[in-house]
Amino acid sequence: MTDDRGFSTRAIHAGQAFDPRTGAVIPPIFMTSTFVQDGVGGFRDGYEYSRGGNPSRDALQEQLASLEGGTHGYAFGSGLAAEDAVLRAILKPGDHVLMGNDVYGGTHRLVSKVWERWGVSITTADASDLDAVRAGMRPETRILWVETPSNPLMKIADVAGLAQIGHDAGAVVVADNTFATPALQQPLALGADLVLHSTTKYIGGHSDLVGGAVVTSDAELAEQIGFVQFAVGAVNSPFDAWLTTRSLKTLSVRMDRHSDNAQAVAESLVGHPALTAVHYPGLEGHPGRELAARQMRRFGGMVSMQLAGGAPAALELVRHTRLFQLAESLGGVESLVCYPSEMTHASVKGTELAVPDDLLRLSVGLEDADDLVADLREALDRL
Ligand SMILES: *Cc1c(COP(=O)(O)O)cnc(C)c1O
């Protein structure tokens, strides 16, 4: 069933009908592992056991599918659990995965450290260069995996162009939409087969849960992923599903403010003598700006910057910001700063995916933009 109501209307209402018994506007959290049967096999509304299905998870899955413009959504206990379910649903020994060369470090690690032992091979290509991706495809490539904007260099990949290349080669095209979220970018409409999320980040949005999700409109892939979700069981809890549902209702307004604040922060950093580069797709001169403007509604809340004083300056700066707290993860209401080469991307150090050691990544939160700008400026001016 397609739902042609607006994004925010669907965010608030898809899968969120009031409780029929009490009229509670917010559906209850179904904290139960199992469901009473009316005689053997007499399931109420199809519910049997919460690994297979739980109303709180179903409500979230319906909401996620609606927001990504897909027909099927699946929620997991983490972004990596969602990724692993996708890999299990598609791959067999001998298959090859082609991945963008600046994807999330843990995504590369999952395939190169876990899946390679099962006969799966992985190579990478610059996903912002369609010719490089085309050249990287092999007859045995089963998955083309892209992330845009990329982490932490904020490169922009052409999802429609990549989907064409993947499909011409018979591969499944997976788009990690964690940075943009469906409020800003909808990869299924651009031709991707699967959209993946770490819901830990913007979708959860409050740094209080870990979760993942997959959405698709391909019935065959949906069946395989649904089976893996049930048979392997890396599901989220009903409480985490409910928290995620609550967060999705404000996603669109949060992403607008994250984008406003990130634009202000990025513009304020440009030209500072302590910096050699500022990476944000909303900046004039960013190589992916035009493409980002075409496939994204706004440019999002992530900014990265490189320091003239190299790694020592990066390590010094993070000791002096007050609002930008030093932590991994991103996408919460509070601003965070991270040193990717030793934190989020430590797992790819020394590989072709290594990130520059003079780079800091900012997750620009929902505080007042002036305060965020002042916080960074004070810390930068000390260098
Ligand atoms: C965090 C992240 C992941 C992994 O998700 P977890 O919830 O930490 O398992 C995958 N992709 C991107 C882009 C991420 O930022």
Side-chain angles (χ1 to χ4, degrees), residues 98 142 176 202 284 286 383:
L98 182 62
R142 278 293 287 148
D176 184 331
Y202 286 107
E284 297 292 344
H286 184 285
L383 295 179

Side-chain angles (χ1 to χ4, degrees), residues 78-81 83 104 107 147 151 176 178-179 196 198-201 210-211 330:
S78 71
L80 282 170
E83 295 184 12
Y104 176 71
T107 302
E147 196 179 310
N151 177 7
D176 184 331
T178 298
F179 269 35
L196 187 122
S198 167
T199 57
T200 313
K201 316 292 170 54
V210 173
L330 59 107

Side-chain angles (χ1 to χ4, degrees), residues 21 23 28 35 73 76 87 94 96 142 173 211 278 293:
R21 186 170 75 85
F35 300 84
F76 293 87
L87 298 169
H96 169 251
R142 278 293 287 148
V173 177
V278 181

Side-chain angles (χ1 to χ4, degrees), residues 223-243:
E223 193 184 324
Q224 288 159 344
I225 292 165
F227 177 74
V228 172
Q229 184 196 46
F230 164 68
V232 179
V235 294
N236 55 356
S237 74
F239 183 65
D240 282 352
W242 176 83
L243 268 180

